[in-house]
Amino acid sequence: AALFTLKDVSYIHRSGTPFALVALQQLALTITPGSAVGLVGPTGAGKSTLIDLLAGLNKPSSGLFYFEGTDTAAKSFKLTRIRSQVGVVFQSPESQIFEETVGKDVSFGPRQRKVPLAESRRLVQESLEAVGLPYEDFRTRYTYALSGGQKRRVAIAGVLALQPKVIIFDEPMAGLDPRGRNELFALIQALKQRTGLTIIYASSSLKDVIELVDTIHVLDKGSLVFSGTPRETLARA
Ligand code: ADP
Ligand code: ADP
């Protein structure tokens, strides 16, 4: 079964603007479990608005939105069901790191969920190792003193510690130097190859996603203008 199915989904921002703004227009797309999906389009295309829907942070203004085969508009459906299974790595890692030390920060989610300490420690350890930050070296490091690339990896570890089925990256390369970009590329590649995670990668640069994903959805002005494999997308670009 599909993880996400969207049919005719629109989203209208009503607050913060003098007039309602149609950010997504009659979108139709399907995302299957374990796939790696790119969302590509220029600034303002609607990528972040779509991410908020896929992460259960907002509901569509209209249209059909199914999560794991369940209609999210059903009265009994709780958005927390999506939130508990979808992790988002936001554009700026600073906005996602709250704690003074790496150990505290990555354990934040498990602690919030009252995961027993031994289990939480294992999750933090595995999550840090998965992003290439050895637990014993990094556990007590101050988060403010980390490099940009390390902060991003701590933010990713914090998401992994929540054991999501889906991880969404919103412009993860923004602000990184070439070395940080290469490390992050390898990290996402490894997550794709070694885990069953569904990976969603939003970027304004086709180049950033082309080698990492299996399917690309191109957005422009809130509409889906193309869906295809990286090869098909390149041929069309
Ligand atoms: P992208 O992530 O591709 O840059 P966004 O989803 O952020 O696109 O934006 C899509 C459209 O929605 C843009 O026109 C943007 O200005 C508008 N928008 C985004 N967030 C809000 C908001 N909170 N309130 C009003 N308009 C918004
Ligand atoms: P220390 O572990 O030596 O106390 P810190 O003060 O830097 O090091 O931060 C550790 C704190 O963060 C712990 O007191 C605990 O609350 C939390 N923490 C760190 N690592 C873990 C972990 N693996 N699992 C659960 N909580 C952790």
Side-chain angles (χ1 to χ4, degrees):
L3 193 56
F4 295 102
T5 305
L6 282 67
K7 283 183 186 149
D8 268 338
V9 162
S10 297
Y11 188 87
I12 303 169
H13 288 288
R14 296 180 193 282
S15 60
T17 47
F19 40 84
L21 199 149
V22 182
L24 294 176
Q25 266 190 90
Q26 294 172 314
L27 234 60
L29 61 89
T30 300
I31 296 177
T32 52
S35 59
V37 177
L39 304 175
V40 177
T43 302
K47 303 182 295 296
S48 300
T49 302
L50 178 56
I51 286 173
D52 285 351
L53 299 184
L54 298 176
L57 301 174
N58 270 327
K59 283 190 169 191
S61 305
S62 61
L64 294 174
F65 184 96
Y66 290 87
F67 180 68
E68 295 184 317
T70 307
D71 184 354
T72 63
K75 274 214 165 59
S76 59
F77 189 89
K78 302 235 174 339
L79 282 183
T80 48
R81 180 168 148 200
I82 302 182
R83 287 182 203 153
S84 68
Q85 298 184 58
V86 181
V88 187
V89 180
F90 292 101
Q91 265 190 53
S92 92
E94 282 76 12
S95 69
Q96 213 162 357
I97 294 175
F98 312 103
E99 301 280 358
E100 209 178 8
T101 65
V102 170
K104 273 201 181 116
D105 197 77
V106 177
S107 63
F108 182 82
R111 280 187 283 122
Q112 287 293 305
R113 288 187 184 175
K114 310 241 188 307
V115 174
L117 185 64
E119 163 85 351
S120 155
R121 187 159 288 137
R122 185 182 63 76
L123 285 171
V124 172
Q125 186 157 1
E126 284 175 5
S127 305
L128 281 171
E129 307 284 344
V131 300
L133 302 176
Y135 177 72
E136 285 307 332
D137 294 356
F138 279 88
R139 181 175 67 92
T140 57
R141 292 257 208 124
Y142 288 111
T143 47
Y144 71 80
L146 301 173
S147 73
Q150 289 171 334
K151 280 183 190 163
R152 203 141 319 194
R153 283 188 276 162
V154 168
I156 296 169
V159 170
L160 293 177
L162 288 164
Q163 298 181 284
K165 283 186 186 164
V166 185
I167 185 163
I168 303 181
F169 295 95
D170 191 359
E171 294 280 1
M173 299 293 181
L176 290 182
D177 60 16
R179 182 171 160 207
R181 296 167 70 92
N182 286 337
E183 286 172 354
L184 189 58
F185 181 90
L187 164 55
I188 298 174
Q189 187 82 281
L191 287 178
K192 186 185 157 187
Q193 284 163 358
R194 295 191 206 135
T195 71
L197 275 171
T198 303
I199 296 175
I200 299 174
Y201 186 136
S203 175
S204 54
S205 158
L206 181 59
K207 196 160 63 63
D208 279 359
V209 306
I210 202 99
E211 291 179 56
L212 283 173
V213 303
D214 317 314
T215 307
I216 294 177
H217 300 291
V218 182
L219 290 166
D220 191 30
K221 300 187 185 77
S223 295
L224 193 63
V225 294
F226 185 77
S227 293
T229 63
R231 187 186 286 264
E232 288 163 353
T233 311
L234 267 185
R236 192 189 150 277

